[in-house]
Amino acid sequence: MNRLAQLALADQIAQAEQAVLRLLGGIETGVATGRTAEAYKSAIGRHGRAILDAGGRDALAAVTDRISDVPGREADRKALLAKLWADLERAPE
């Protein structure tokens, strides 16, 4: 893979990570409730798939660690991402 392709994949991962952070923020602050929260969770799942497709399991694990690295929210975020991305881990790369 050439350097340009690597940069494009890194950009896809970064964009998906930022989207997940925004969506999690909406869930955590209570802005997204009910059906909206379910839509946010579904979107988090789609972004997880994008991360996995772009960078593999290592990228998904690294994003999970970065997103979860928030004092007081680490366990909750890790649990939610594990739940939402569980099916992704079973899918072949």
Side-chain angles (χ1 to χ4, degrees):
M1 176 181 307
N2 67 33
R3 183 69 177 140
L4 186 58
Q6 290 174 336
L7 290 172
L9 291 176
D11 185 55
Q12 288 176 4
I13 292 168
Q15 287 181 21
E17 182 175 348
Q18 288 301 310
V20 170
L21 281 167
R22 288 188 300 272
L23 292 162
L24 275 175
I27 293 169
E28 291 170 345
T29 61
V31 170
T33 60
R35 287 185 173 171
T36 304
E38 292 306 312
Y40 278 30
K41 290 175 183 178
S42 180
I44 290 169
R46 288 191 302 275
H47 289 297
R49 168 54 64 197
I51 293 164
L52 184 63
D53 290 348
R57 296 188 197 308
D58 289 342
L60 192 64
V63 168
T64 299
D65 289 344
R66 285 192 301 270
I67 288 173
S68 299
D69 190 23
V70 177
R73 293 189 177 162
E74 184 174 6
D76 291 339
R77 283 187 172 193
K78 277 192 182 277
L80 180 59
L81 292 175
K83 177 182 174 185
L84 296 176
W85 292 349
D87 290 339
L88 301 179
E89 288 296 318
R90 288 189 218 112
E93 286 189 43

